[in-house]
Amino acid sequence: MEEGTILFDRFINENSKLHEKEIRDILQRIRAMAHRTGAQEHFFKLHEGKPGDGVCALYDEPDANLRLYCIRFGSAIVIIGGGGLKEKIIREFQQNKKLTDENYLLREISAEITDKMKSGEIRFSDDELEFIGNLDFI
C-alpha cells in the first residue's frame, strides 16, 4: 500500500464502477451514523476480528456481498478501513485474499490503538467522540 493511502478512498475507487448502488448505500449509512443515529450495533456484522479488537464489517444491506471493514469503539467512534466483494460461493473472508488482507490490516491497526491507549500516546477526547494524540498507524 502506498504511503498516505486512505483505505476508504481505495475501497470507493475499487468498487464504485461495478457496485455503484452498494457504494451509495454504504455512504448513506455512514452519513446517517455520523449525523443522526450513531454507530448502532445492528449496522455491523460484529466479531470479524479477534475477540475484543472491535473489527467488524459494515454492509449496504445485511445480505449484501460488499464488505467494508471497520473498527468500532462503542456507538461514537468508527475507524473506517477497506474491504471488497465477497463472492457468493465464499463462506469465510479467509477464502478471499483481498478480504483477508483488508481484515488483517484492521486487526493490526486495532492492536496499535490498544497499545497506544495503554501507553498514553492516544486517549479519548473529553466528549469521547474522537481520539486525541499520536494517530499515525502502521
Side-chain angles (χ1 to χ4, degrees):
M1 180 170 45
E2 294 176 31
E3 189 173 327
T5 299
I6 296 173
L7 299 175
F8 184 58
D9 288 347
R10 187 177 68 197
F11 172 80
I12 297 292
N13 291 334
E14 290 173 352
N15 295 288
S16 62
K17 287 184 181 165
L18 292 176
H19 307 286
E20 183 180 346
K21 181 195 178 307
E22 293 91 342
I23 292 293
R24 220 177 21 252
D25 292 345
I26 286 173
L27 290 170
Q28 191 171 22
R29 178 157 292 180
I30 290 169
R31 278 188 214 96
M33 286 190 293
H35 299 290
R36 292 190 308 276
T37 65
Q40 296 176 14
E41 194 171 282
H42 64 90
F43 290 145
F44 300 90
K45 180 176 181 200
L46 304 176
H47 313 297
E48 290 286 292
K50 294 188 291 188
D53 67 6
V55 175
C56 55
L58 176 65
Y59 296 91
D60 61 317
E61 294 179 12
D63 296 327
N65 291 313
L66 194 58
R67 293 180 175 208
L68 175 60
Y69 289 112
C70 307
I71 307 169
R72 185 175 170 267
F73 293 90
S75 63
I77 298 176
V78 176
I79 296 173
I80 298 173
L85 185 65
K86 176 186 162 217
E87 294 88 11
K88 294 183 187 299
I89 59 169
I90 294 177
R91 295 189 185 273
E92 302 291 328
F93 75 84
Q94 293 93 338
Q95 295 174 293
N96 178 310
K97 182 171 177 8
K98 169 75 170 145
L99 292 178
T100 300
D101 291 348
E102 297 289 349
N103 182 283
Y104 278 84
L105 178 58
L106 268 281
R107 290 180 189 202
E108 289 177 38
I109 292 170
S110 178
E112 268 194 74
I113 290 169
T114 299
D115 290 345
K116 287 183 177 192
M117 289 184 85
K118 286 179 182 176
S119 71
E121 285 183 70
I122 64 172
R123 63 180 174 78
F124 289 109
S125 62
D126 290 339
D127 60 7
E128 297 185 353
L129 294 176
E130 61 186 321
F131 286 120
I132 297 173
N134 178 5
L135 302 176
D136 290 327
F137 300 100
I138 300 181

